[in-house]
Amino acid sequence: MNSFNYSIKKILINLLIIIALGILLGFLFLKVYLPLYTNHGETVSVPDLSGYEYQEASNLLENTGLQYEVSLDSGFSTELPALAILKQIPAANSQVKSGRKIYLTLNARNAPLIKMPNLVNMPLKNVQEILANIGLERGDIVYVPDIGINVVLEQRYRGVTVKEGFEIPKGARIDLTVGDGMGNQLLLVPDLTGMEEEDAEFLILGYGLRLGNKNFSETDSVAAGKIFLQAPPAGTEVRTGDLINIWISKN
């Protein structure tokens, strides 16, 4: 019996010693080894790189003791120069270990191309939302006489009419020709034959009409630079805001 009690007592003592050693080793691991291994307390604050150009950002990170890697993906913003920082991971002001790698997303050198939607015959309010959603900017609005009030009649990029599907850079300004709701008036198309191109365009606008296509062709009927054909022809009854196409003589 005494031998049995002695054995139990010895086992309990050994268990207590093992538990005590486990606690001690755990304490030493958490409080001594782990902090030394992970450089506990040696952290740096990630700088805010938003808007910095690539070279400036890389110099700043190196001076802070941080590494960096440029993401293969890129974005595009018209408000920032090419290769400016668009995004960073970890975020600005995060506390990280010295030498931590910061991942950078750069602004693309060239704007991506997007396809122009068809805005003609749409209300101006809807058009502005569409342009904003696809990354285009609404440019100048020119009101012309037309029965459709605030309805888009024409979409232009850099002074040229663009049709649906035409590729333009993201962030481009799109100018709009819009009806003013005053297009019920009937009038006769003026005779433009023999007029200089600029004078004919001025007269068309003065009549409350809009210049359509300008076509250049060789002819002996009038001198170079003058109108020799128009559509609709002179005297045709049209409404204000209608398009007038002209043919101009060339050498």
Side-chain angles (χ1 to χ4, degrees):
M1 186 70 178
N2 289 335
S3 176
F4 177 77
N5 291 336
Y6 176 77
S7 298
I8 294 297
K9 184 177 181 180
K10 187 175 180 180
I11 291 172
L12 291 174
I13 291 173
N14 289 335
L15 286 174
L16 290 174
I17 292 174
I18 292 173
I19 293 173
L21 287 174
I23 294 174
L24 178 61
L25 291 174
F27 176 82
L28 292 175
F29 177 80
L30 294 174
K31 298 298 183 180
V32 179
Y33 173 76
L34 192 61
L36 289 175
Y37 178 77
T38 59
N39 294 322
H40 182 70
E42 296 182 14
T43 62
V44 294
S45 180
V46 178
D48 186 358
L49 304 174
S50 301
Y52 278 83
E53 294 188 8
Y54 169 70
Q55 193 59 51
E56 296 173 332
S58 62
N59 292 337
L60 181 58
L61 289 174
E62 290 173 356
N63 293 336
T64 313
L66 296 170
Q67 300 182 41
Y68 63 90
E69 181 176 319
V70 176
S71 172
L72 294 178
D73 296 328
S74 63
F76 181 76
S77 171
T78 57
E79 299 177 357
L80 295 174
L83 302 184
I85 308 301
L86 289 179
K87 183 180 178 182
Q88 64 182 82
I89 300 176
N93 302 320
S94 299
Q95 297 298 315
V96 299
K97 292 188 301 180
S98 179
R100 170 70 184 271
K101 185 175 289 186
I102 309 300
Y103 296 90
L104 305 175
T105 301
L106 305 183
N107 195 27
R109 288 183 180 273
N110 299 312
L113 295 177
I114 58 178
K115 291 186 177 181
M116 183 68 195
N118 182 24
L119 308 175
V120 177
N121 295 325
M122 296 184 63
L124 180 59
K125 180 180 179 181
N126 295 350
V127 165
Q128 293 179 150
E129 294 178 358
I130 292 173
L131 290 175
N133 289 337
I134 64 176
L136 295 175
E137 184 179 346
R138 195 210 73 195
D140 296 331
I141 296 179
V142 177
Y143 284 92
V144 298
D146 190 86
I147 191 172
I149 184 170
N150 285 328
V151 172
V152 174
L153 304 174
E154 193 176 16
Q155 53 196 33
R156 288 176 170 262
Y157 171 59
R158 293 186 173 180
V160 178
T161 299
V162 290
K163 298 186 180 297
E164 181 180 9
F166 186 83
E167 291 189 336
I168 54 178
K170 186 175 182 180
R173 286 170 53 91
I174 303 299
D175 300 323
L176 303 171
T177 301
V178 180
D180 62 3
M182 303 293 289
N184 285 322
Q185 183 179 355
L186 293 175
L187 48 86
L188 299 179
V189 176
D191 186 2
L192 307 175
T193 304
M195 296 184 65
E196 297 283 348
E197 177 185 345
E198 293 183 0
D199 293 337
E201 184 172 353
F202 182 79
L203 182 60
I204 289 172
L205 295 177
Y207 265 69
L209 300 169
R210 292 184 295 138
L211 179 63
N213 296 326
K214 292 194 293 184
N215 309 284
F216 293 87
S217 182
E218 295 182 359
T219 180
D220 296 329
S221 59
V222 297
K226 294 188 177 183
I227 311 299
F228 69 90
L229 184 65
Q230 65 183 79
T236 303
E237 192 175 71
V238 295
R239 294 185 180 276
T240 52
D242 281 354
L243 292 173
I244 306 297
N245 301 312
I246 58 175
W247 281 257
I248 304 165
S249 176
K250 68 176 184 180
N251 292 329

